[in-house]
Amino acid sequence: MYVHFWDWESLVKEVMDALHNLIVQGKVLYLGISDAPAWVVAQANSYAEFHGKTPFVIYQGQWNVLERSFEREIISMARSPSTRPMGSRWRGKFRSDEEDKQRSLRPSKSDSEEIKGHSVWGSWERTEDEIKVSHALEEVANEIGANSLRAVAIAYILHKAPYVFPIIRGRKPEHLVSNLEALDITLSEEHIKFLEGIGDGTKPQGITASAFNVQKMPPPAPLPVFRLNSQGEGEGAQRQ
């Protein structure tokens, strides 16, 4: 059972107590958590372990070549739990320019709906960043002789950490074939560095970007330093 989207209001203690009750009742076997900050998971598991409750054993979140914020804290935090990354193929947006052209010229019924409509995941059309990543994946695929650049995208996250079990979707037999090809791909350190040189994963993506607006706030100003002058009066000076 997964806890999706931390609500920022519930107390960690209350959540973990309630989840543990489900375990005791036999309704749930294992607990997972999705799209939550690393500090929330660490606090929750620490509380569970110190109070005889059931901890989270797996973390689910967005992770791919373009969205790499997962690597900053989640991987280090989840050395004990396993990871279940979503979006390794970025919902089909990692594709070659030729595939993009063919899909636009002769879309199937389902593709046509994607082209015209928008969803929680955004438009069918690729952004500039998605095109750059697609080109990089295609270059690596050509270099190693892979048939699919999407297989390279899956192989990337499998090379980054142990106990990674990606969620991979597909609607056609060729999707399944390209997914399985990832298991036979070996990327060098040079390939990894090349792919990671495309983006830094700092922009909110996918469902996170659609759920709320992210406004980065400037850091707090330095605190003033107060000193006493020779007359014993306070003087404020800005700390440099």
Side-chain angles (χ1 to χ4, degrees):
M1 179 178 177
Y2 282 85
V3 175
H4 285 279
F5 257 89
W6 190 254
D7 65 1
W8 303 101
E9 297 293 336
S10 302
L11 299 178
V12 168
K13 176 183 180 299
E14 292 179 348
V15 172
M16 300 311 290
D17 287 346
L19 292 174
H20 180 69
N21 288 340
L22 296 177
I23 296 287
V24 173
Q25 295 168 10
K27 296 179 179 180
V28 176
L29 297 178
Y30 298 99
L31 300 176
I33 187 166
S34 173
D35 299 290
W39 69 265
V40 169
V41 183
Q43 187 179 94
N45 277 8
S46 295
Y47 171 79
E49 292 168 3
F50 282 114
H51 293 82
K53 308 293 182 178
T54 306
F56 295 115
V57 297
I58 191 168
Y59 183 97
Q60 175 179 299
Q62 291 284 347
W63 185 22
N64 55 61
V65 182
L66 180 61
E67 172 52 86
R68 297 206 315 277
S69 56
F70 196 92
E71 300 174 10
R72 289 180 169 82
E73 291 186 332
I74 302 303
I75 293 298
S76 299
M77 179 272 299
R79 287 178 178 175
S80 177
S82 302
T83 55
R84 190 170 182 244
M86 303 180 293
S88 57
R89 304 177 350 142
W90 207 224
R91 307 180 304 282
K93 289 190 177 183
F94 292 157
R95 56 182 181 264
S96 67
D97 291 345
E98 181 60 27
E99 290 173 325
D100 204 50
K101 179 180 178 181
Q102 294 300 322
R103 193 173 185 181
S104 299
L105 292 175
R106 295 189 296 274
S108 65
K109 180 179 179 180
S110 57
D111 289 341
S112 179
E113 293 171 354
E114 290 180 31
I115 292 173
K116 295 178 181 178
H118 296 265
S119 69
V120 68
W121 300 111
S123 171
W124 170 87
E125 297 178 342
R126 298 182 297 172
T127 65
E128 292 185 7
D129 288 340
E130 290 162 350
I131 292 174
K132 290 178 182 178
V133 171
S134 296
H135 289 169
L137 290 169
E138 186 174 19
E139 184 173 337
V140 172
N142 292 335
E143 185 175 332
I144 64 177
N147 295 317
S148 169
L149 63 84
R150 287 173 291 280
V152 176
I154 298 171
Y156 167 80
I157 62 173
L158 294 176
H159 279 66
K160 295 292 291 185
Y163 313 116
V164 174
F165 306 96
I167 303 173
I168 305 174
R169 299 178 176 88
R171 295 182 292 105
K172 302 176 182 178
E174 52 265 34
H175 295 165
L176 175 61
V177 173
S178 66
N179 293 343
L180 293 174
E181 185 186 13
L183 299 176
D184 298 323
I185 291 177
T186 299
L187 300 176
S188 66
E189 291 185 7
E190 287 72 21
H191 291 142
I192 298 294
K193 291 179 181 179
F194 172 69
L195 293 174
E196 292 183 344
I198 305 302
D200 61 4
T202 58
K203 297 179 181 179
Q205 304 284 345
I207 195 169
T208 302
S210 66
F212 46 79
N213 294 322
V214 178
Q215 180 181 0
K216 292 188 176 181
M217 302 301 292
L223 295 175
V225 177
F226 291 94
R227 302 185 179 91
L228 295 177
N229 58 23
S230 58
Q231 286 76 36
E233 298 173 341
E235 293 181 343
Q238 193 75 12
R239 182 184 287 118
Q240 301 297 325

